[in-house]
Amino acid sequence: MSRLWNSILLLCVIAVVSCGFIDLRPIGVDIEPDINDSVLPDAFSPVILRFDTEMIKNETEANMQISSDLGVMRGDKHWNGSSLYFVPVAGWTAGIRYTLSLTGMIRSADGREMRTERFVSFYAINKNNPPLLEWFSPSDGISVGTNNLVMEFHFSRSMDRLSAESALTLEGAGSKTFEWSDDDKILKAAADKPLSPWQLYRWNLKESAKSKDGVPLPKSYSGFFTTDLDQVLPQVTDVYPVLFSSGSWFPTGADIETGLMQGQGIAVSFNKPMGENALRSLRFEPALSGRTEFLSENAIVYILARDPDPQTAYTLIVSGDTKDSEGLKTGTDYRITFIPDIPFLEVESITGSFAYEKNSLANNVIPVLIDHAMGELSFYIHFSLLFSGEEKQITPQKITLVPFFPRTIAPAALQYVNWISDDRLFMRWEGLSAGEIPHYYKLVIPGGRSGINSDTGIFMKEDLILYLEAIL
């Protein structure tokens, strides 16, 4: 028996001599934090793995990981002697439960190996409960209007304003105005511009929204609503002349087709309140310059810069893109044709040594008696409308009396003019002559917009031309 034990001892000695010394000591490691659910003091406090010997660094680092419900943490790893430090790149988030895991085979520099499975859970800054979204408005799927929309959110805890405002998005709404109340537990968000009608809008509140102590929402929230509360399309209900009096516009009671008179505006009424673009919705064919104002929330007035041309057919067009206060469009152009009840300026009569009456045949030769000594011709022109000071000055300059036949006779000259009333003009011409061959002169009172105009800008439809035969 003693021989057997001696043989076994000899074999062990031989094995030890042939293989060298085997170090069976475990690798020691201390973790900071070392107690589950402890709290690191600030956002960049390191997690430390302290080994009792120098380690194979890259292998050790690969076996270490820190994660949370948000995913695996990115961080900087560095060594201080035999201690491995982990510092998060973006910092720890308050209230989040993190888990450190050190798993797998780790090896020291002196050749020892050890399989490890260590897990430590911890928090940073604090381990307060996360805030929750308890109530919101508009509720999912509800119909709302397009104007003055205010979204409202009620939280279970006081919120960090900047993070909550940045986390809230409303698709297609542009910028928002925020208002907080109830110790920052209630957030109201108002769209700065009206929303588009008949659209589905989605909002999202990301989990990056945090409470005042830095704890984020546990999840993102979302919802939707539609802007189809108003389903009545706008339309034109009436177009009519209006008269300005005592600072206001009043309907004249006439219809637009034939009842628009001088100095009047054109009102357009709709079946509902209209938006600002209604002021830019009118156009005329042919064009009429002017400006548009609101008469009321559902009516506008077009104020003409000048009266329309007499006896001219105009078409008023209200664009199909005209929007009501909710942003709904009329959809199709509205058209109405009218002829203003505005007369042309006319020459009622011309009297002197000859006589012309309105509606007499034009272009006929009229004998006129001239003074033999001075070759003078005097006559009165009676107009159908009144003339003001400026028109009185330029009207005589536009009336011409020129030789017509023969071409060799001397031209006549205007000697004297006088307005004996606002609608009667006296003119005296000199230098006319008569002869054995008849002398003819052409009297022209010009019409059209560039011709003579009354004090309200009304003009003659066309030139009035009279051929005068000078006789002694």
Side-chain angles (χ1 to χ4, degrees), residues 348-365:
E348 296 286 347
S349 64
I350 302 176
T351 57
S353 62
F354 66 99
Y356 165 82
E357 298 292 337
K358 183 175 68 172
N359 299 325
S360 298
L361 293 177
N363 300 327
N364 284 351
V365 176

Side-chain angles (χ1 to χ4, degrees), residues 354-384:
F354 66 99
Y356 165 82
E357 298 292 337
K358 183 175 68 172
N359 299 325
S360 298
L361 293 177
N363 300 327
N364 284 351
V365 176
I366 302 176
V368 297
L369 185 63
I370 63 172
D371 176 79
H372 177 72
M374 301 295 296
E376 293 179 347
L377 173 64
S378 300
F379 49 83
Y380 296 87
I381 305 176
H382 180 202
F383 295 100
S384 60

